[in-house]
Amino acid sequence: MAKIKIYNPGLLTTIQDLGRFGYQQYGMPVSGAMDSYSLKLANILVGNKASEACFEATAIGPTIEFDSKAFIAICGADMSPKLNGADIDMYKTISINSGDKLSFESLENGFRTYIAFAGGIDIPVVMGSKSTYLRGKIGGFNGRQLKFGDELLLGKVESSIDIKHISKHQIPVYKNHFTARIIAGPEVGHFTVSGLTSLLNSEFTLSVQCDRMGYRLAGEKIEHKLSSDIISSGISFGTIQVPAHGEPIIMMADRQTTGGYTRIANVIYVDLPYLAQLQPGDTIRFQEIKLEEAHNLIQKQEKAFNLE
Amino acid sequence: MFKYIPLGDSSFLIKLGDTISTSIHKQLQALFLEICNAQIKGIVELVPAYNELMICYNPLEIKYSILVDKLKHIEEGLNTIELPELFLLHIPVCYDPEFAPDIEIVANTSKLTTEEVIQTHSSVEYLVYMLGFTPGFCYLGGMNNKIATPRKESPRQIIEAGSVGIAGNQTGIYPIDSPGGWQLIGKTLLKLFDPERKPEFLIRAGDYIKFNPITKIEFEEIKNLVESGEYTLRKDRRDG
């Protein structure tokens, strides 16, 4: 089995798949890739199941050495990937030779990049998933982010690997501003007209308080008509909660399963990968759409995963 | 009639009422179990809370309107459903000062002796309304308001798993090491959550729990049993 060694872990590199499902009823967060679209594309390029675990690197990529032949693919943020110091393509299957070193340089756009390895990563499946849940210290590689000197085994490659690439129109473009489409939330009636106007007509900035758990946004305060607290209940990926301070918080991959703040809206599924690629300081606007439209967009997105 | 409310495009809520009550809780448990039993393709998972049940689904596998219709059908038949057996779980808790750094604060606030605090805390059968917040954390109902005590002004950086505490009119057990501001009055050795064990979670929503006071000597004995995997949790059947 191929082995890889971490020379430099980057800023925050964890192992993630599509998440840990079935245990939210016990309070267990789902975790998984912040940007599931990039994770799926990267897996497909190396012949893996779309749901296989990848490296999720944040802002600064890792340096990895391979001890045998391998195939990888890199999708998501452009961190200027290099193989033995020379530029390599993203969104394309890359063939690796024994002794090759993968590294990254400057962050050109986006915030999180996904590295898929043909055969996947050979780590234990904990409660149905390989995803790292950092706060709970479970899953992934010993429940933590990767460190200098870590050695990991790759899974067996079952069949021959073709070099593939993703066509240009399927490759997302990341900018420093994003308009996230939303669906009205259960407590939309808890806000004043002025509060709802703030949500829909003003611009928010992603604060430095942003991590895999949630994004706090700075901007016009969103005014409540009634109390900001609710009886604790479910929250999902992309739920926008507004506590008493009036600054919205978008719940992300490592979110708690339940929350006690008013849920004003929810970012739609196909826009979550773009949220995952925002950098602190980037700006966000919200645009309301209908549920049916959001479902049509999911079907459209799914077509990107049929590479032929 | 329950309300069906979208929470984004991949989950929605079934809202059963606007309050925390045992009757809503029991209805919600019945609904939860019936939906589980129906094994509807496209449902990813269910997350029960106090008054709302969250349904996570894959819209590529089932249309929202069809799923809601199926669930409304289940809702209509709900009155005829028998709830499964209920259990009372006995959780051994050591209230020795070594594990109860804040019990004096609770005693002073409630104008009781520490013995009375222990007696009050351990004489109730608490209903587990829901789990959330951290893996395995139980939201319990039924604490006597006499021992209600505000949270600590500055939270502790780390509270060990198994610590039993009070915050306002709530009591609970920390399932994993985490920071927190609860007033700590005791400790249990039982692991509410262990990813290496089957089942991973000791307590479920709908169970009742009771804290059984134990001495430090018993605490040490139980410690050995828990570590060797030989400890058996006392579980009694309980009516409604």
Side-chain angles (χ1 to χ4, degrees):
Chain A
M1 270 197 284
K3 195 165 73 181
I4 58 173
K5 191 170 173 186
I6 309 299
Y7 270 81
N8 176 346
L11 183 66
L12 169 65
T13 303
T14 59
I15 296 172
Q16 302 292 343
D17 56 20
L18 291 178
R20 189 167 280 111
F21 292 97
Y23 298 94
Q24 282 196 84
Q25 59 170 295
Y26 303 109
M28 179 60 126
V30 175
S31 306
M34 290 280 276
D35 172 358
S36 62
Y37 181 77
S38 296
L39 176 125
K40 287 181 189 173
L41 289 183
N43 274 321
I44 290 165
L45 285 169
V46 293
N48 289 347
K49 279 199 294 189
S51 56
E52 183 52 66
C54 292
F55 282 7
E56 176 184 277
T58 318
I60 302 167
T63 302
I64 304 165
E65 194 182 75
F66 294 79
D67 85 335
S68 61
K69 284 183 173 242
F71 288 93
I72 65 162
I74 302 160
C75 297
D78 182 355
M79 299 180 184
S80 315
K82 315 266 179 221
L83 195 62
N84 306 320
D87 289 346
I88 49 168
D89 286 334
M90 293 180 62
Y91 296 96
K92 191 183 166 197
T93 319
I94 303 286
S95 168
I96 302 277
N97 288 312
S98 178
D100 280 356
K101 216 174 215 177
L102 173 71
S103 61
F104 295 85
E105 278 177 10
S106 58
L107 177 66
E108 295 300 320
N109 61 52
F111 202 56
R112 295 183 166 86
T113 209
Y114 293 83
I115 310 162
F117 305 89
I121 306 162
D122 187 36
I123 52 163
V125 174
V126 179
M127 296 163 70
S129 167
K130 291 181 180 175
S131 286
T132 316
Y133 169 44
L134 289 169
R135 275 164 206 253
K137 300 185 181 73
I138 77 154
F141 188 77
N142 298 331
R144 60 165 171 81
Q145 69 183 88
L146 296 175
K147 282 187 197 165
F148 168 84
D150 284 345
E151 292 185 341
L152 293 96
L153 294 176
L154 301 183
K156 241 200 197 135
V157 179
E158 302 292 349
S159 54
S160 69
I161 308 266
D162 301 324
I163 302 294
K164 289 183 268 198
H165 69 274
I166 304 290
S167 55
K168 201 157 180 207
H169 72 279
Q170 309 281 26
I171 297 176
V173 179
Y174 308 127
K175 299 196 175 128
N176 297 110
H177 173 79
F178 181 61
T179 299
R181 289 162 291 184
I182 54 172
I183 288 165
E187 280 82 47
V188 76
H190 284 231
F191 296 88
T192 62
V193 173
S194 136
L196 294 171
T197 308
S198 302
L199 179 77
L200 293 169
N201 293 336
S202 70
E203 191 168 86
F204 295 91
T205 305
L206 181 57
S207 75
V208 290
Q209 286 167 280
C210 65
D211 59 17
R212 285 184 41 85
M213 200 169 157
Y215 284 7
R216 182 156 167 180
L217 307 182
E220 265 182 37
K221 301 274 176 286
I222 298 179
E223 190 185 54
H224 291 88
K225 184 162 67 184
L226 306 164
S227 157
S228 63
D229 294 347
I230 58 163
I231 297 172
S232 280
S233 179
I235 45 180
S236 69
F237 202 162
T239 298
I240 307 172
Q241 290 187 308
V242 187
H245 56 56
E247 291 193 327
I249 299 170
I250 312 180
M251 304 317 291
M252 302 297 285
D254 278 354
R255 68 196 173 279
Q256 296 174 4
T257 56
T258 55
Y261 300 124
T262 39
R263 298 157 293 186
I264 193 169
N266 220 98
V267 176
I268 65 168
Y269 178 82
V270 299
D271 283 352
L272 296 173
Y274 288 91
L275 278 188
Q277 296 297 350
L278 292 176
Q279 304 176 358
D282 285 354
T283 54
I284 306 179
R285 278 179 176 274
F286 296 107
Q287 181 200 346
E288 189 182 356
I289 66 161
K290 294 268 177 269
L291 182 59
E292 215 174 275
E293 209 176 328
H295 285 157
N296 291 339
L297 289 164
I298 296 176
Q299 290 197 324
K300 209 172 132 193
Q301 189 205 57
E302 196 62 15
K303 291 190 181 122
F305 305 127
N306 299 317
L307 292 192
E308 284 317 325
Chain B
M1 289 273 279
F2 304 154
K3 285 187 197 143
Y4 292 74
I5 312 164
L7 184 68
D9 52 17
S10 306
S11 58
F12 61 93
L13 303 157
I14 307 181
K15 187 169 188 162
L16 280 68
D18 293 304
T19 53
I20 297 176
S21 78
T22 49
S23 68
I24 289 174
H25 168 80
K26 286 187 195 315
Q27 263 193 319
L28 197 144
Q29 279 298 308
L31 182 66
F32 168 72
L33 292 167
E34 276 308 295
I35 298 173
C36 289
N37 291 339
Q39 300 199 342
I40 300 166
K41 190 172 149 52
I43 290 185
V44 177
E45 63 181 313
L46 306 175
V47 189
Y50 283 108
N51 59 331
E52 292 177 352
L53 176 62
M54 178 164 76
I55 317 278
C56 306
Y57 68 106
N58 181 350
L60 291 170
E61 288 186 20
I62 190 161
K63 260 183 86 125
Y64 176 69
S65 55
I66 292 173
L67 179 53
V68 168
D69 282 346
K70 282 184 190 236
L71 298 181
K72 282 185 174 165
H73 186 71
I74 292 175
E75 180 192 333
E76 281 162 20
L78 210 59
N79 294 330
T80 58
I81 292 161
E82 255 183 69
L83 270 179
E85 284 180 321
L86 293 173
F87 289 99
L88 174 64
L89 279 53
H90 296 266
I91 309 292
V93 173
C94 185
Y95 294 92
D96 187 274
E98 189 187 333
F99 308 114
D102 304 323
I103 201 160
E104 292 287 346
I105 297 170
V106 176
N108 290 336
T109 309
S110 53
K111 302 195 168 59
L112 298 172
T113 63
T114 55
E115 286 73 24
E116 286 165 337
V117 170
I118 295 167
Q119 217 280 322
T120 308
H121 188 255
S122 61
S123 60
V124 175
E125 294 180 359
Y126 298 93
L127 171 62
V128 181
Y129 274 99
M130 59 180 274
L131 277 73
F133 178 53
T134 56
F137 182 81
C138 302
Y139 287 83
L140 303 176
M143 194 180 84
N144 190 326
N145 268 330
K146 267 200 300 195
I147 52 172
T149 309
R151 282 161 206 266
K152 301 197 84 64
E153 271 175 32
S154 61
R156 289 186 169 89
Q157 285 302 310
I158 191 91
I159 291 176
E160 277 182 39
S163 298
V164 176
I166 289 177
N169 55 9
Q170 270 190 298
T171 183
I173 311 165
Y174 280 86
I176 58 173
D177 293 353
S178 46
W182 291 45
Q183 307 284 1
L184 304 183
I185 62 164
K187 193 171 181 191
T188 181
L189 286 159
L190 301 191
K191 287 181 180 170
L192 268 57
F193 167 55
D194 181 354
E196 306 297 325
R197 179 184 66 197
K198 290 278 173 196
E200 293 88 351
F201 297 90
L202 199 64
I203 305 174
R204 300 172 156 265
D207 285 336
Y208 283 83
I209 68 167
K210 194 168 186 291
F211 298 113
N212 278 2
I214 56 166
T215 63
K216 257 184 98 171
I217 294 162
E218 288 169 311
F219 187 85
E220 290 304 323
E221 286 166 4
I222 291 175
K223 192 176 187 173
N224 294 330
L225 290 172
V226 169
E227 275 167 10
S228 62
E230 288 167 66
Y231 184 81
T232 341
L233 176 67
R234 195 179 135 203
K235 222 174 175 182
D236 298 333
R237 290 217 169 80
R238 187 186 189 280
D239 300 322

